[in-house]
Amino acid sequence: SVEHGEELARALGCLGCHSTDGTRLVGPSFQRLYGHEHTLSDGTTVLTDDAYIIESIRDPNAKIAEGFQPNLMPAFGESQLSDEDIQDIIAFIKTLSE
């Protein structure tokens, strides 16, 4: 659920680095993140869809957003976040991208 996703984002500290209002913090803002093209540090672009967000949570250094530093976000394995938990976080992020 969206509510559970927001609770997880708060409890795990995601919102300490990812704003919900477009403010630039340590990581990209969750506002207008989902479903949009974003430039990566290598100059390529990516659509920030479910697959991208899942990969970013499981392997944060796989694709680094332009203007941000690698090795700052911890990886969250399945023992820390279930696939269902990640879907709830994505549902929360989607509400900020409409």
Side-chain angles (χ1 to χ4, degrees), residues 15-16 19 24-25 32 47 51 62 73 78 81 94 98:
L15 300 182
S19 76
R24 184 182 171 96
L25 299 175
R32 294 193 42 80
L47 176 66
M73 182 172 152
E78 290 182 27
L81 278 177
K94 283 181 179 179
E98 298 168 349

Side-chain angles (χ1 to χ4, degrees), residues 10 41 54:
R10 287 187 193 290
S41 60
I54 292 166

Side-chain angles (χ1 to χ4, degrees), residues 14 17-20 22-31 33 38 52 64-66 68:
C14 306
C17 294
H18 300 277
S19 76
T20 59
T23 303
R24 184 182 171 96
L25 299 175
V26 175
S29 178
F30 286 163
Q31 184 183 53
L33 177 71
H38 290 274
Y52 173 81
I64 303 297
E66 182 178 56
F68 294 94

Side-chain angles (χ1 to χ4, degrees), residues 37-46 64-67:
E37 290 272 331
H38 290 274
T39 303
L40 301 177
S41 60
D42 65 3
T44 62
T45 59
V46 65
I64 303 297
E66 182 178 56

Side-chain angles (χ1 to χ4, degrees), residues 30 33-34 53 88-98:
F30 286 163
L33 177 71
Y34 190 89
I53 294 173
D88 288 348
I89 292 170
I90 291 170
F92 168 60
I93 291 171
K94 283 181 179 179
T95 67
L96 303 168
S97 299
E98 298 168 349

Side-chain angles (χ1 to χ4, degrees), residues 52-66:
Y52 173 81
I53 294 173
I54 292 166
E55 179 182 48
S56 295
I57 291 171
R58 297 285 190 219
D59 183 10
N61 288 320
K63 294 181 178 85
I64 303 297
E66 182 178 56

